[in-house]
Amino acid sequence: MKTTALFAGLSLATTALATAIPLPVRSNTRPIRLLHTAPKPHNAPPQFRGARILSQAETEESTLGGAAIAAGSDHKVTSVSAAFVIPHARMPTTGPTANNTVGMYAASFHVGIDSFSAACGPDKSRFLRAGVDVFWDGTIGGEQNPWVWYQSSPTDEDGLGFSNFSAAAGDLVRFSVTGTEVKVENFGANVTCVKGLKAKQSVVQKISGAGLCGGEAAWAVEDFPLAGLPNFPVALADFGGVVFKEVEVGFERGKNGTVSKNAEGAKVRDVRLAAQGGRLTACEVVEGGKKVKCDRVVEE
């Protein structure tokens, strides 16, 4: 998509929001809405239960970045978790979408089961994920409050907010996803270590009827479209970087019970959108699989 077309769409979105009121420091309201669209399938030979999380072609367009680890033929993913500091959303200063002072920018960070490859179920749309959206809107004062959500597909066509929960950029949060529930914990602003801390807030949402395959676990950065503009993603915010730490995935191994491991061996993908400058993230698995790191970049 041409950059002019991208800014034209963003102008429509920001005009509609021009009269909105700036939010308080912490809340989980949703004045700006992203469409949490299902991951798109890849044209490749199937692996475990049709799962496909192999390496991405360098020129392949993708709104999804991060890392995913496959269960394998004798395993099934039963849980996935990670902690991360909610990044600040800022207006980019480089690339085709830079310096649009009346523009809209956003980014999403999430963990999930069967949420990376569009491979689960007869309709390839079964997954469970939970995460945080961050926003920058030049028409209403710049950075807005993040929105914390979960999504059980195909039951939920879009993300649902956690009730009685609040968060702000700089807060350390932890998401835990299983086949039956999603849990989010907030450890407060600017906290750098999870171990030994008591969560400031903790909310558990029970899930039923997800029908997951358990084929993969993922830690992701995504560029979703705005509500009302579903045909292209919103301009990706400059979020600096995000580090998923304390990453853990649980596997069920038949009669041998469950085992846990980190992200070592996970396959990595980057957000790549030609209209926004090409490669927009630099993701990697670091520290022997203990962390998944994604930096915001602009690289042709």
Side-chain angles (χ1 to χ4, degrees), residues 206-230:
K206 296 293 183 180
I207 305 294
S208 61
L212 299 175
C213 300
E216 66 181 11
W219 305 268
V221 176
E222 192 153 5
D223 189 8
F224 286 114
L226 281 171
L229 296 169

Side-chain angles (χ1 to χ4, degrees), residues 173-242:
V173 293
R174 178 166 55 197
F175 289 91
S176 305
V177 176
T178 72
T180 58
E181 69 178 35
V182 290
K183 180 180 181 180
V184 59
E185 300 167 276
N186 185 346
F187 294 90
N190 299 317
V191 179
T192 58
C193 180
V194 172
K195 291 184 177 179
L197 296 175
K198 182 178 180 181
K200 179 180 178 181
Q201 293 176 297
S202 180
V203 176
V204 176
Q205 179 66 45
K206 296 293 183 180
I207 305 294
S208 61
L212 299 175
C213 300
E216 66 181 11
W219 305 268
V221 176
E222 192 153 5
D223 189 8
F224 286 114
L226 281 171
L229 296 169
N231 294 326
F232 60 89
V234 66
L236 187 65
D238 178 3
F239 58 85
V242 64

Side-chain angles (χ1 to χ4, degrees), residues 28 30 36 110-111 127-133 147-153 155-163 175-177 180-184 203-208:
N28 201 35
R30 194 184 189 188
H36 296 95
H110 53 86
V111 303
F127 58 85
L128 180 59
R129 60 190 178 186
V132 179
D133 298 340
W147 190 66
V148 185
W149 56 272
Y150 66 95
Q151 184 181 18
S152 175
S153 179
T155 305
D156 305 323
E157 293 184 358
D158 196 9
L160 302 174
F162 287 91
S163 300
F175 289 91
S176 305
V177 176
T180 58
E181 69 178 35
V182 290
K183 180 180 181 180
V184 59
V203 176
V204 176
Q205 179 66 45
K206 296 293 183 180
I207 305 294
S208 61

